[in-house]
Amino acid sequence: MKNKYYALKITGILVLIFIIQLIFKNFTELFVLDGSKVLIRPWTLLTSIFLHGNLAHLMLNGFALALFGSILENIIGSKRFLFLFFISGIFANIPGAIFYNSSLGASGAIFGIMGCLTILRPKMTIWMNLMPVPMWLAAIIWALQDIFGIFVPSDIGYWAHLGGLFFGLIYGFYVKNR
């Protein structure tokens, strides 16, 4: 299985698209997920994954995608990784379309990656809040943060995170049992 470095390539694409967003102010409006228009603009379930609201949003998602995505891509292969990224991103955007006026970002897809890693490498140690924790515990903490976050008004797509994580866990079980 040859690694095609899709996690890093997608991270680069996110950066390029963010630059386009900065240059062309109406670009984001064309491709953002708008819950009230998703039935007439279904492509936005996919295109919104590549948009980001600000530099911090892009940096956090880019770092997580490059790190966790590269690890997972080495485990399951590039084709499966690419499938998981796109499908978990789309799956995450379904609750995003229901619960938010508009939604953008790759975090739902990234949560799918982390969910899959949780099943395939539950004891893998990661650093979370300056502490080493196993992947399974980090996933529980992230899920609890998003569940509690649902009840706190903010611009964070908690439902999308949970949707991506859920799909990633299911896909992780599928890959593990094959």
Side-chain angles (χ1 to χ4, degrees):
M1 230 175 350
K2 186 176 179 198
N3 187 331
K4 300 199 188 293
Y5 303 99
Y6 286 140
L8 298 177
K9 290 175 183 176
I10 293 170
T11 303
I13 291 168
L14 296 179
V15 171
L16 289 174
I17 290 175
F18 185 71
I19 292 169
I20 293 169
Q21 284 180 261
L22 293 175
I23 295 169
F24 301 102
K25 297 300 178 192
N26 292 335
F27 184 83
T28 302
E29 293 173 25
L30 296 172
F31 299 104
V32 70
L33 177 63
D34 181 335
S36 67
K37 298 178 184 174
V38 71
L39 294 178
I40 58 173
R41 296 176 48 187
W43 62 85
T44 60
L45 288 167
L46 176 66
T47 58
S48 62
I49 296 168
F50 294 93
L51 303 173
H52 287 83
N54 57 47
L55 185 59
H57 187 207
L58 172 68
M59 297 297 286
L60 287 170
N61 279 348
F63 176 76
L65 175 58
L67 176 65
F68 293 113
S70 294
I71 293 168
L72 184 62
E73 188 174 354
N74 281 323
I75 295 168
I76 67 173
S78 295
K79 287 182 183 178
R80 283 184 173 167
F81 167 79
L82 207 55
F83 172 81
L84 174 64
F85 177 82
F86 284 110
I87 301 302
S88 62
I90 292 168
F91 194 87
N93 275 334
I94 294 170
I98 295 168
F99 292 103
Y100 308 115
N101 292 332
S102 65
S103 180
L104 50 71
S107 56
I110 294 163
F111 269 78
I113 290 165
M114 294 186 300
C116 189
L117 266 176
T118 299
I119 300 303
L120 299 179
R121 297 293 187 270
K123 295 179 183 177
M124 180 177 77
T125 301
I126 66 164
W127 285 85
M128 181 178 208
N129 299 325
L130 304 176
M131 293 178 44
V133 296
M135 190 69 191
W136 67 266
L137 180 57
I140 290 171
I141 293 168
W142 287 320
L144 289 173
Q145 286 175 337
D146 284 325
I147 290 168
F148 291 125
I150 289 168
F151 302 103
V152 179
S154 79
D155 291 337
I156 298 172
Y158 297 113
W159 283 106
H161 294 174
L162 292 168
L165 183 65
F166 178 72
F167 184 82
L169 292 168
I170 290 172
Y171 191 71
F173 281 118
Y174 168 78
V175 170
K176 186 175 182 175
N177 290 324
R178 291 219 56 169

